[in-house]
Amino acid sequence: MEKLLKKWRQDAMNKHQYESAVYIGDKLLALTNDANDAFFLAQVHFSSGNYTRAQSFLTKHNLFEHNAACRYLGAYCHIKQSKYEDALTVLGDQNPSHLISTSSKVRRKLQHSSSNLRNGSLNVEKGAGRSDRIERSEERDRENASDIKYEAAICYLRGICYANQNAFDRAKECYKDAVRIDVQCFEAFDQLMKNSLMSPDEEWEFLESLDFDSISTEDNTTTEDNDTSQEAAQFAKMLYTTRLSKYKNPTDFNNATESLSTHYNLASNPDLLLSKAHLHFTQCRFKPALAITTSILDSDEYNFSVYPLHLACLHELNQINTLFLLAHRLADLHPEEPTTWLAVGIYYLSISLTAEARRYFIKASTMDPQFGAAWIGFAHTFAAEGEHDQAISAYSSAARLFQGTHLPQLFLGMQNLHLNNMTLAHGYLVTAHEVCQTDPLLLNELGVVYYHQDNLPDAVTMFNRALAIAAEIDSDPRSWIATRANLGHAYRRQRHWAAALEEFEEVLRQGGRDTGIFCAKGIVLLEMGKSFEAVCALHEALAIGPQDPVATDLLSRALLENATHQEWEVEDESIDDFEPAMERRNDEGGRGRRGNGNARMARVSEAGEDSMMVESDDDA
């Protein structure tokens, strides 16, 4: 009879007929009074969404103390009900560090150190710690394999609880311990990578510390079994490598994806394709990244892990119509998904309706408090309105969530730059540059800071690097008109007239027909003794802004110089007379859209006594 009921119960579970499974499981438990059957019945209640009933069932049969699996299920019931303190009470607050497994490379190093200790060559306290770790490894070997996996899962749940209590550092350590205990605990690893809880250096160091050799496919009693286990370990390590930050070691990433694509037929796997898209996005190759995400969604439009990157690419490439259609479709079909309202918010931000965008970013972050993309979008809305203090507060929250990406630090630096806090801006931007050295916008912002600090050689270097990377990644040249104008101003202040003139003319060829650019060109031409060309350039400036006082003053000087046929040099005092006025004019009304959907603005801002500096704004 027991065998019949177990088969019946399992058949109902396989068909997701939970009422049948509960009905039969209850009768089986009455016959056997077995803790395993009680635990199975609690799992059925959990699977059917009856978390309170599952929890009370575990308590009634006193199963919490039975084993790790029961504690795990009981705590998960509390988490599903958002009772994180109660869950921590069941789980405890200490991770089982004695179960942490180290990689074979680290283990050999520890054993070598222990051997040296016995020979008297190392410090006693340091050696004792290493011996303890070796003993903990041996203690782990005596544990039941199933219990070890559940202890790792318990660490993962503990991390979930801390993350929901905004204790992100403690959550990170719990996730890390979960993967160290059981390298196959992918849920914990996914939380670390998805939320960028570690810096790129930390991620690669963490990967090397994991014991992939602990993965076993069989009993490992034969040479064939050992070979299979080694292959499985290498396979898992390559899979994990594709999830790491793309800011470092792109060669290792490419080798892993190439091997997985050729040897394991994963070339068209969505997760692998998404990793490649992330690499393109990190390198500012938005068009290839969008092509990949579009191909993934064409085959599986309900793969919500793809949408944040897909939406970011659409925004960067200014595909507003596509954003509109996608946001409407998601709102109709999936209103319960935070990504849906992220899409709506990005659409409204793209058409400069910041109040509406903020409302939907708030909605997305409320549905998922750890949704870093929604926090960044929320901060962008304040930046778009010039509310720098509120933007800094929101970006700081995003930086706490996204510790492994350079974007929050970049945006914090940009906001402090607008507030003329050069020291803070430099600190944030240098921190961002340590994480990512290939973002043209970041390089431009660093150049702006160096310009304001009168470090013109470094400013020129940064602007040139930004333009070189933008060209390398096939970015629209019009997106970087502001950066090229910045380079021209830096050359102008260095008195490299020919180089400055070349940059200003290139800006004009690319469509940056602004009064300020024509005035800057006029100054350079006057310095070069080409008064007639300066008169022509300044007439162009007045054609755009007929009432512009700076262009008017410069034109009168250029006409005088041209009429007397004498070389006229603009002294620093003369430049000081008209540049502040020019800056005030542009601050009041001279804002213009910069580029192909980056939603970043260009403005002429005051950078000292001798400046006409264009810097980027972070309205996106």
Side-chain angles (χ1 to χ4, degrees):
M1 182 60 69
E2 293 176 13
K3 186 176 180 180
L4 171 64
L5 292 177
K6 287 182 179 180
K7 184 178 179 180
W8 191 350
R9 180 188 65 183
Q10 188 60 50
D11 181 64
M13 280 293 291
N14 293 340
K15 297 176 181 176
H16 302 285
Q17 297 176 350
Y18 298 120
E19 289 300 324
S20 299
V22 169
Y23 184 78
I24 301 303
D26 180 64
K27 307 308 177 286
L28 178 61
L29 180 60
L31 286 175
T32 63
N33 197 28
D34 187 354
N36 290 325
D37 291 327
F39 178 63
F40 192 98
L41 189 54
Q43 286 183 305
V44 176
H45 289 310
F46 183 89
S47 298
S48 63
N50 294 324
Y51 307 121
T52 305
R53 190 176 182 186
Q55 176 192 334
S56 64
F57 191 85
L58 290 168
T59 305
K60 176 182 177 182
H61 290 81
N62 196 26
L63 295 178
F64 282 127
E65 303 300 327
H66 186 67
N67 56 28
C70 295
R71 285 197 296 129
Y72 171 83
L73 184 62
Y76 215 162
C77 290
H78 286 299
I79 289 174
K80 287 294 186 179
Q81 300 171 77
S82 301
K83 299 177 180 178
Y84 302 112
E85 280 295 339
D86 293 339
L88 285 173
T89 302
V90 175
L91 296 170
D93 57 0
Q94 294 295 323
N95 294 333
S97 57
H98 65 283
L99 297 179
I100 292 177
S101 177
T102 56
S103 68
S104 57
K105 186 186 300 184
V106 176
R107 198 179 302 119
R108 284 194 298 271
K109 187 183 294 186
L110 291 174
Q111 290 170 348
H112 176 70
S113 300
S114 180
S115 175
N116 289 340
L117 173 64
R118 288 193 292 271
N119 294 331
S121 61
L122 289 179
N123 179 275
V124 174
E125 292 182 3
K126 193 178 293 184
R130 289 168 176 149
S131 298
D132 289 343
R133 275 182 278 179
I134 296 172
E135 290 174 4
R136 287 202 300 266
S137 180
E138 294 173 351
E139 185 178 350
R140 168 193 168 90
D141 293 338
R142 293 193 292 268
E143 292 283 343
N144 182 278
S146 177
D147 288 341
I148 290 176
K149 289 186 176 296
Y150 270 109
E151 288 292 348
I154 285 173
C155 289
Y156 160 69
L157 291 187
R158 199 176 286 123
I160 292 292
C161 293
Y162 287 134
N164 281 280
Q165 294 176 338
N166 293 328
F168 296 107
D169 289 336
R170 299 187 71 177
K172 179 174 73 173
E173 290 306 315
C174 289
Y175 294 144
K176 291 170 69 174
D177 284 347
V179 186
R180 288 179 181 135
I181 293 170
D182 177 18
V183 74
Q184 293 174 269
C185 187
F186 178 76
E187 292 279 348
F189 184 80
D190 184 53
Q191 288 293 324
L192 288 168
M193 300 302 114
K194 181 174 65 176
N195 296 318
S196 298
L197 294 179
M198 296 187 290
S199 68
D201 287 329
E202 285 181 303
E203 289 183 6
W204 285 93
E205 183 180 350
F206 178 65
L207 181 73
E208 292 302 321
S209 72
L210 297 179
D211 185 17
F212 290 98
D213 293 333
S214 64
I215 297 177
S216 177
T217 56
E218 299 290 345
D219 295 331
N220 291 345
T221 56
T222 66
T223 304
E224 183 179 352
D225 292 339
N226 285 328
D227 291 342
T228 305
S229 295
Q230 290 175 4
E231 182 184 3
Q234 189 63 29
F235 177 77
K237 186 173 183 179
M238 289 189 294
L239 284 178
Y240 281 23
T241 299
T242 63
R243 295 300 304 273
L244 299 185
S245 170
K246 310 305 183 294
Y247 297 127
K248 293 185 71 68
N249 302 331
T251 303
D252 291 344
F253 170 81
N254 289 328
N255 290 338
T257 54
E258 181 67 24
S259 181
L260 290 170
S261 299
T262 56
H263 299 308
Y264 298 100
N265 196 30
L266 294 178
S268 58
N269 181 266
D271 293 320
L272 211 60
L273 291 175
L274 181 59
S275 295
K276 292 179 180 179
H278 274 292
L279 178 62
H280 286 307
F281 189 84
T282 300
Q283 297 173 337
C284 298
R285 300 175 184 270
F286 304 123
K287 292 179 182 177
L290 180 61
I292 293 175
T293 57
T294 302
S295 69
I296 297 173
L297 293 174
D298 285 342
S299 60
D300 181 10
E301 64 175 314
Y302 305 111
N303 189 341
F304 287 98
S305 62
V306 179
Y307 277 107
L309 181 61
H310 184 67
L311 294 168
C313 291
L314 290 174
H315 177 67
E316 291 288 351
L317 296 173
N318 201 29
Q319 297 193 14
I320 296 177
N321 291 338
T322 306
L323 273 172
F324 175 81
L325 294 173
L326 180 59
H328 266 279
R329 181 172 177 79
L330 289 174
D332 289 339
L333 298 178
H334 304 286
E336 75 287 352
E337 288 289 336
T339 304
T340 295
W341 307 113
L342 174 69
V344 177
I346 289 176
Y347 167 71
Y348 279 120
L349 184 62
S350 298
I351 60 174
S352 301
L353 295 179
T354 53
E356 289 80 359
R358 183 180 303 128
R359 184 186 317 128
Y360 289 107
F361 285 136
I362 290 173
K363 185 171 184 177
S365 62
T366 302
M367 296 174 70
D368 181 3
Q370 300 175 57
F371 199 6
W375 277 101
I376 290 179
F378 174 67
H380 283 342
T381 61
F382 289 115
E385 295 175 344
E387 298 288 345
H388 301 300
D389 291 336
Q390 290 176 293
I392 286 173
S393 177
Y395 284 133
S396 298
S397 298
R400 192 176 71 252
L401 291 170
F402 274 178
Q403 299 177 24
T405 177
H406 74 292
L407 292 177
Q409 303 294 336
L410 166 61
F411 297 137
L412 283 167
M414 294 170 73
Q415 291 302 307
N416 280 283
L417 182 59
H418 293 319
L419 294 173
N420 207 31
N421 296 328
M422 293 301 154
T423 303
L424 283 175
H426 182 263
Y428 282 122
L429 293 173
V430 168
T431 301
H433 190 256
E434 290 173 356
V435 178
C436 176
Q437 292 84 35
T438 58
D439 186 347
L441 176 61
L442 171 58
L443 296 173
N444 176 74
E445 299 305 314
L446 270 173
V448 172
V449 171
Y450 288 136
Y451 183 98
H452 281 275
Q453 294 175 339
D454 296 326
N455 187 354
L456 297 178
D458 285 347
V460 169
T461 299
M462 289 297 170
F463 294 141
N464 276 318
R465 282 182 57 195
L467 292 171
I469 292 175
E472 180 185 343
I473 64 179
D474 194 28
S475 181
D476 187 345
R478 290 173 297 179
S479 300
W480 306 103
I481 287 177
T483 303
R484 192 169 294 279
N486 291 344
L487 180 59
H489 288 299
Y491 279 139
R492 179 182 60 81
R493 285 191 59 190
Q494 287 184 314
R495 307 183 75 83
H496 296 166
W497 309 122
L501 181 61
E502 181 182 352
E503 297 302 330
F504 290 135
E505 287 180 342
E506 182 63 25
V507 169
L508 294 173
R509 278 195 295 271
Q510 293 176 1
R513 299 180 63 81
D514 179 77
T515 305
I517 298 299
F518 280 112
C519 288
K521 181 181 177 181
I523 294 173
V524 172
L525 289 169
L526 284 171
E527 294 284 6
M528 297 174 71
K530 299 179 178 180
S531 56
F532 179 76
E533 289 88 342
V535 169
C536 295
L538 294 168
H539 272 298
E540 294 272 12
L542 287 171
I544 298 173
Q547 306 300 321
D548 186 88
V550 175
T552 303
D553 182 46
L554 280 174
L555 179 60
S556 64
R557 294 168 187 256
L559 288 170
L560 178 63
E561 171 65 19
N562 190 55
T564 58
H565 298 286
Q566 295 178 358
E567 185 176 358
W568 175 63
E569 293 186 2
V570 180
E571 300 294 336
D572 287 346
E573 291 80 10
S574 300
I575 295 175
D576 292 343
D577 288 342
F578 65 78
E579 284 192 354
M582 180 180 177
E583 291 159 358
R584 285 194 298 272
R585 179 210 64 209
N586 283 277
D587 282 340
E588 290 171 2
R591 294 179 179 268
R593 176 70 61 185
R594 172 187 154 180
N596 59 350
N598 292 343
R600 295 162 182 157
M601 308 292 281
R603 67 183 178 88
V604 178
S605 65
E606 185 173 354
E609 293 183 348
D610 179 20
S611 73
M612 289 186 299
M613 186 65 184
V614 181
E615 67 180 33
S616 23
D617 199 351
D618 53 347
D619 289 358

